[in-house]
Amino acid sequence: MVSALLALLGVLLGLRRRAEVRDYARSHSERLEAKARGSDRARLQHPHIDLSQCFGCGACVRACPEEGVLSLLHGQAVVLHGARCVGHGACASACPMGAIALTLGDLKDRRDIPALDEELEAVGQPGLFLAGELGGFALVRTAVSQGVAVADAIARRLAQQGKAHVGKQSAVQVTVQGSAPSSNRGADEPLDLLVVGAGPGGIACSLRAKERGIAHRVIEQAERIGGTVAAYPRRKMVMTQPMELPLHGRLPRLTYEKEDLVELWGSLVTDHQLPVRTGVRLEGLRRLEDGTYEAATTAGVLRARNVCLALGRRGSPRKLDVPGEDLPKVSYSLLDAESYRDRRILVVGGGDSAIEAALALADQPGNTVTLVYRQKSFFRLKARNDKRLAMALEKKRLVALMETQVERIERDRVHLLRPPAFAETGQASSREAPPTEPMILPNDEVFIFAGGQPPFEMLAKVGVSFDPKDRPKERALAAGGGLLPALVVVLLCSLAMLVWVSRHRDYYNLAAAERVTSDAHAALRPSGQTGLALGLAATVLLLANLAYLARRSAWVGRFIPGSLRAWMGSHVLTGLVAFLAVLTHAGFSFRDTVGGHALIAFTIVVATGLVGRYFYAFVPRAANGTEVDLDDVRAQLATLSGQWDRAGRGFGHEVRQQIEDLMSAGRWRPGMFGRIAALVSGQVRLRAAISRLRRQGQREGIPADEITHLVGMSRRAYRLTLLVTHYEEVRAILSSWRYFHRWLALLLVLLTGIHIATAMRFGELGAKLAALFAGGRP
């Protein structure tokens, strides 16, 4: 029976291992594709993973609402398509170890991110705050939280200065399209806060300012509130994520259509009489000698002690600067695709907005839609848009012209410049030809989605710095996932247990059969007063330990407060302290009973947990680190062989392909022995491939030093592949820890339940428990 169970377990582990290797091979291939397309790096925010803390639970991958951003490779989380990250932050919230956080990446060379301190105040410009997309994080929830944070920071400062108007909110009236809000403030007295922009950040800032009694005003250059969201196409879904709005509370839904969200903000402005004025554009801003700000607007001059710029990064639409762009048929946004039917339409751009607009227009009857993009491929698309576009191209619902630019726009046609020869896939041919050739398309409508021109010039004039040296240093991720306090408590409990054992060492040093003769046996035996109390404590701790599983559940976890990091710390704390209590309850002896078997299972569960947390994470980290080195070698090889291709030498691509095939041979085979055999024979194939490439390079006239460099890189790439594979094999052996941990934990719970039920039915435990809870003595 035992042999059959072991054989079944071996088969299950083997099947699981095969599936794991296939998943890793898929992630590895997609990672290389993302690097080739340029979608591995995000434009703004992206997840940063601390591999020293990640132990590969996959919670971040499951939590991410955007497909393809994260995956598992070598047992740890990796970023695949960083450009698809839109900053939901669900991955960071789901990680129980605090090993992942949203960052703005490497900012040392970025000149499009303003220098802000922790309170979102512009460095060197007291009282000037930026909220929302201007700071680099493009998400409704982020804009809301930052708008609230700005109002809170201003409220604290006003309170310290004795200028807060808490409980004395000025009587204001909501304004629309040009009517000025009335106020009981003096005409020359500056506002406490001027909010520029009535998008999610500006509305949230105004709501909190109203709640905190801050005299303020909001101006919006558009004729309606909503900011960037208001310019979305009709019925576009907007993901908000769980969030709360001041004076309103928690939003009941996680996703809203654009119209519903804008309507919600409008009702908040009306219901709470927020001092919002639309149709007013900020034209200039300067700081006066007294520290206040003077804002020049199309409705006059406003003065304020503090200013919150919640403008968004889009600013004014970026134009192509081509003849005919001022024609009435040219638009820079699409609000309602159903308004366009039986039209010849050109859509310019390669981002999600352009793709969504092109697909929506292609769905309307009679439309002929052509999508033009100046790059070789689309690399910044969300996964669902990428799939929808591929399907539309396959079904010929629209045409995509890559590496194509608009030369001129006329009343009934557009002139394009594109590569001279295209295959059916839309990729330019490799034969020599002029860089571009003209193309004319009949046309009725042109939609340009080339992004926007952020108001950086105006911000720079105000004094906002974009110099990377002025940005505060980014704080590192908190190490340990909140485990340090838990481990400190465990250490103190361990010391207390050692003191207890030292005081009763005469009893615990006796053999199990001899302990009945000891005077301490009545209290220290498992059913004794002390032993029973320890057993009850261990049971309660074990139940609390299982609550972590409920918190991790996607269905139940949303109703349980507290972060996963805190629950992970609680999981470790309750598990280890419960184990200490069980050891003392059992008198540090393993018996051939149900309780003894439960103690053995508990010991293995604790051991596998420690392996998972500390030992298992090392091997994947080493493998992923080696993957980075391997990527560097690939990049060098691609650069060198690319130079050969550009010089007219025809074997650059062949070199890359042969080396890649050599590195991949046998690497992702599910069977360990098959991979070992492939690695052994790989040395022979390596020598043969290098000899073949050396001879071909000499025939092609490649310089000898470049051939030597190629040979060195090939050998290094193969050695790194061997190292990665070696780590992967060791990781495969250690990866079984999680399954032992989970299933033995289940067995532990079952054995504990049987142990308690047996003791209550056949032993003294029932009577002792009744006496104990009654406050008497058994």
Side-chain angles (χ1 to χ4, degrees), residues 493-611:
C493 292
S494 301
L495 293 176
M497 186 189 73
L498 290 176
V499 171
W500 176 267
V501 172
S502 177
R503 289 185 56 187
H504 300 89
R505 60 182 177 274
D506 293 339
Y507 175 77
Y508 291 118
N509 286 335
L510 294 174
E514 298 175 352
R515 290 182 180 179
V516 296
T517 62
S518 172
D519 294 337
H521 184 64
L524 299 183
R525 61 177 176 162
S527 59
Q529 188 171 4
T530 302
L532 179 58
L534 289 168
L536 289 173
T539 303
V540 172
L541 289 170
L542 186 59
L543 291 175
N545 183 269
L546 296 177
Y548 167 71
L549 302 180
R551 178 60 182 85
R552 280 191 58 180
S553 168
W555 300 101
V556 181
R558 69 181 69 179
F559 303 107
I560 302 177
S563 66
L564 266 174
R565 290 185 61 194
W567 278 96
M568 181 63 176
S570 171
H571 182 68
V572 173
L573 171 63
T574 54
L576 292 178
V577 174
F579 179 64
L580 296 177
V582 168
L583 274 179
T584 312
H585 164 73
F588 302 95
S589 62
F590 295 87
R591 297 182 177 87
D592 189 16
T593 62
V594 176
H597 297 161
L599 178 56
I600 294 173
F602 208 159
T603 304
I604 299 176
V605 168
V606 170
T608 52
L610 292 175
V611 168

Side-chain angles (χ1 to χ4, degrees), residues 663 679-680 683 717-727:
M663 291 189 296
L679 290 174
V680 171
Q683 292 290 347
Y718 191 73
R719 283 197 300 269
L720 287 172
T721 304
L722 288 176
L723 187 57
V724 172
T725 306
H726 168 72
Y727 276 127

Side-chain angles (χ1 to χ4, degrees), residues 120 130-139 142-144 146-147 201 309-310 312-313:
L120 303 175
L130 278 68
E133 285 184 302
L134 279 178
F137 290 92
L139 193 66
T142 304
V144 168
Q146 290 186 348
L309 299 178
R313 291 179 69 87

Side-chain angles (χ1 to χ4, degrees), residues 18 43 59 68 88 143 171 208 253 317 376 420 425 434 503 539 547 622-623 640 689 776:
R18 286 177 178 270
R43 291 166 293 172
H88 292 95
R208 179 51 63 91
R253 290 151 50 189
K376 291 183 178 180
T425 58
R503 289 185 56 187
T539 303
L640 181 59

Side-chain angles (χ1 to χ4, degrees), residues 157-470:
R157 296 184 184 186
L158 293 175
Q160 294 172 357
Q161 299 168 3
K163 297 179 181 179
H165 303 279
V166 178
K168 301 178 182 178
Q169 175 71 8
S170 299
V172 295
Q173 298 175 348
V174 68
T175 67
V176 291
Q177 300 185 5
S179 61
S182 61
S183 170
N184 61 6
R185 298 174 61 84
D188 296 330
E189 187 178 357
L191 295 162
D192 288 334
L193 170 63
L194 173 64
V195 181
V196 183
I203 295 298
C205 187
S206 179
L207 285 168
R208 179 51 63 91
K210 173 85 173 184
E211 185 178 43
R212 300 293 295 266
I214 301 174
H216 72 287
R217 187 173 297 178
V218 183
I219 60 173
E220 165 62 47
Q221 67 175 355
E223 296 299 328
R224 56 178 178 172
I225 65 172
T228 303
V229 175
Y232 286 167
R234 189 174 68 90
R235 300 180 65 85
K236 177 180 172 65
M237 296 300 296
V238 181
M239 295 195 69
T240 62
Q241 292 294 296
M243 68 178 185
E244 292 192 7
L245 290 172
L247 298 177
H248 178 75
R250 190 178 183 86
L251 295 187
R253 290 151 50 189
L254 298 183
T255 59
Y256 287 80
E257 289 185 352
K258 161 232 176 165
E259 289 80 5
D260 294 337
L261 202 54
V262 173
E263 182 181 357
L264 171 64
W265 288 331
S267 65
L268 292 174
V269 170
T270 302
D271 294 345
H272 299 288
Q273 294 190 329
L274 300 183
V276 178
R277 183 172 181 182
T278 59
V280 178
R281 185 176 69 255
L282 177 68
E283 296 184 326
L285 184 68
R286 68 189 183 100
R287 190 163 184 261
L288 304 178
E289 293 183 359
D290 61 358
T292 61
Y293 285 90
E294 183 179 81
T297 75
T298 53
V301 175
L302 295 173
R303 288 181 58 216
R305 297 185 178 91
N306 301 279
V307 176
C308 175
L309 299 178
L311 303 174
R313 291 179 69 87
R314 178 174 174 84
S316 302
R318 181 177 284 113
K319 297 188 176 182
L320 302 180
D321 292 329
V322 297
E325 194 172 2
D326 55 348
L327 290 173
K329 72 174 184 177
V330 178
S331 303
Y332 298 91
S333 64
L334 175 65
L335 296 181
D336 188 0
E338 295 182 1
S339 303
Y340 299 87
R341 299 190 176 191
D342 300 313
R343 309 294 286 172
R344 299 166 298 182
I345 301 173
L346 182 74
V347 178
V348 182
D352 285 302
S353 298
I355 301 305
E356 290 170 358
L359 292 172
L361 291 166
D363 286 338
Q364 308 311 315
N367 284 345
T368 301
V369 179
T370 303
L371 181 63
V372 168
Y373 190 39
R374 56 191 173 88
Q375 301 291 346
K376 291 183 178 180
S377 62
F378 301 102
F379 65 95
R380 296 186 286 119
L381 301 183
K382 297 177 182 177
R384 57 178 175 269
N385 285 336
D386 204 356
K387 292 179 180 178
R388 290 177 59 206
L389 176 62
M391 186 177 299
L393 292 174
E394 182 180 353
K395 294 182 178 180
K396 301 185 185 307
R397 289 169 43 211
L398 57 83
V399 175
L401 302 179
M402 311 306 294
E403 298 182 271
T404 302
Q405 299 183 28
V406 177
E407 181 185 27
R408 186 169 70 257
I409 302 174
E410 297 179 354
R411 186 179 61 82
D412 58 353
R413 68 185 70 186
V414 290
H415 295 255
L416 307 175
L417 292 176
R418 63 192 293 248
F422 271 70
E424 293 182 358
T425 58
Q427 295 297 323
S429 67
S430 59
R431 64 182 177 83
E432 295 185 7
T436 57
E437 65 180 15
M439 177 182 181
I440 300 176
L441 287 180
N443 175 262
D444 300 311
E445 308 287 346
V446 176
F447 291 91
I448 299 175
F449 296 90
Q453 295 178 330
F456 292 159
E457 182 178 352
M458 184 194 71
L459 295 178
K461 290 180 180 180
V462 178
V464 175
S465 173
F466 291 86
D467 191 337
K469 297 179 182 179
D470 293 335

